[in-house]
């Protein structure tokens, strides 16, 4: 069963606008962590933001924020004031303690920022 | 502080050849992972090692073996390479305790099997 679902294969956003990348997850463990990574065309995986399942507030890191809706099991990434350098693949991931500290990744969303 | 290093960066193998991908981390992390990334598939876990001396299968372990040589090093071996193993391979490490547990990734190895 798919643990992480990203339903948007590709997204476009105008420079300086905000964009939301969707992510839903599936776990029965009350304790888990949710992550977003960026993969530019150069190929490296860059950690962006983390949300713990017990965190009361949505995580924020600079222009990145995570819209965490626990009851809906969604962890959407919001990028504000998009920049051309934000064009990349974005992966949502979950750390699941039920399966011995494994990480599960979604299939990714390709974001293109248009000047 | 190099983080996670992987060798080689690129490799071309013929079907049936064997090779070992090397990974090392200098962050004193307990957990290490091997993933493969195929177009449209995201990252899929091959094997992981929660701590030194332990290894466990992930989602796609067939055709691979791993060795957790010590706390720093975690190698991935292809005994008899097949074209279906053409992929980009990433090694990662993370800490079990702490506040965020994020994984740190190596730069990847691009493997082509002809």
């Amino acid at each position: 069963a798919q643990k992480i679902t990203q339903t948007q294969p590709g997204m476009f956003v105008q420079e300086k606008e905000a964009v939301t990348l969707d992510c839903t997850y599936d776990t029965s463990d009350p304790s888990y962590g949710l992550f977003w990574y960026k993969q530019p065309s150069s190929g490296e995986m860059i950690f962006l933001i983390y949300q713990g399942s017990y965190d009361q507030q949505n995580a924020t890191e600079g222009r990145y924020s995570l819209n965490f809706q626990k009851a809906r099991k969604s962890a959407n990434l919001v990028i504000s004031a998009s920049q051309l350098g934000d064009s990349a693949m974005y992966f949502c991931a979950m750390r699941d303690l039920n399966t011995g500290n494994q990480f599960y990744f979604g299939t990714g969303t390709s974001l293109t920022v248009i000047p | 502080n190099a983080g996670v290093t992987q060798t080689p960066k690129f490799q071309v193998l013929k079907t049936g050849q064997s090779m070992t991908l090397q990974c090392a981390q200098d962050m004193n992390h307990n957990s290490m992972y091997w993933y493969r990334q195929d177009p449209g598939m995201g990252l899929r876990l091959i094997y992981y090692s929660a701590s030194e001396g332990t290894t466990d299968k992930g989602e796609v372990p067939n055709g691979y073996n791993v060795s957790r040589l010590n706390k720093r090093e975690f190698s991935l071996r292809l005994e008899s390479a097949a074209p279906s193993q053409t992929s980009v391979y990433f090694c990662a490490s993370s800490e079990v305790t702490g506040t965020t547990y994020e994984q740190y990734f190596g730069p990847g190895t691009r493997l082509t099997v002809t």
Side-chain angles (χ1 to χ4, degrees):
Chain A
Q2 193 81 334
K3 291 242 182 201
I4 295 285
T5 303
Q6 293 180 255
T7 58
Q8 306 155 313
M11 290 281 287
F12 292 86
V13 64
Q14 204 75 37
E15 195 177 5
K16 299 188 181 127
E17 298 291 311
V19 63
T20 298
L21 306 183
D22 293 342
C23 173
T24 57
Y25 60 92
D26 180 29
T27 183
S28 57
D29 185 355
S31 179
Y32 52 89
L34 297 158
F35 306 79
W36 278 92
Y37 286 85
K38 173 184 178 182
Q39 187 178 42
S41 57
S42 51
E44 73 267 32
M45 295 288 288
I46 302 167
F47 166 72
L48 295 178
I49 196 167
Y50 165 83
Q51 179 84 43
S53 58
Y54 294 119
D55 293 343
Q56 294 296 314
Q57 298 202 338
N58 287 342
T60 60
E61 287 286 347
R63 295 187 297 111
Y64 304 109
S65 60
L66 201 152
N67 184 359
F68 181 45
Q69 297 186 45
K70 196 169 183 176
R72 298 178 65 179
K73 292 190 175 178
S74 76
N76 298 339
L77 177 70
V78 180
I79 305 174
S80 62
S82 297
Q83 302 172 356
L84 296 178
D86 293 336
S87 293
M89 283 291 290
Y90 289 82
F91 292 96
C92 179
M94 177 178 69
R95 175 176 177 258
D96 187 343
L97 293 175
N98 261 348
T99 52
N101 200 31
Q102 284 195 46
F103 283 74
Y104 296 90
F105 283 78
T107 52
T109 295
S110 175
L111 177 67
T112 302
V113 180
I114 304 165
Chain B
N1 189 341
V4 180
T5 57
Q6 290 182 236
T7 55
K9 284 191 166 51
F10 301 94
Q11 184 72 48
V12 179
L13 290 178
K14 289 186 175 8
T15 298
Q17 287 185 319
S18 62
M19 78 161 294
T20 299
L21 281 64
Q22 306 286 354
C23 173
Q25 52 94 6
D26 61 4
M27 295 172 283
N28 204 35
H29 286 166
N30 281 299
S31 299
M32 297 186 73
Y33 308 78
W34 276 105
Y35 294 91
R36 60 178 289 172
Q37 184 178 26
D38 303 300
M41 298 290 289
L43 276 78
R44 291 185 293 168
L45 183 65
I46 304 170
Y47 272 93
Y48 68 105
S49 170
S51 61
E52 187 179 354
T54 68
T55 59
D56 286 286
K57 294 178 181 178
E59 185 185 355
V60 288
N62 291 344
Y64 305 95
N65 285 301
V66 290
S67 296
R68 183 74 184 265
L69 304 168
N70 48 54
K71 193 170 185 180
R72 288 188 64 248
E73 297 170 290
F74 188 38
S75 63
L76 178 73
R77 182 158 179 85
L78 287 71
E79 289 292 350
S80 178
S84 61
Q85 293 178 305
T86 293
S87 188
V88 179
Y89 291 84
F90 286 97
C91 177
S93 71
S94 75
E95 191 45 82
V96 176
T97 60
T99 57
T100 58
Y101 321 107
E102 76 260 28
Q103 290 188 310
Y104 295 84
F105 283 83
T109 294
R110 189 172 295 273
L111 174 67
T112 301
V113 183
T114 60

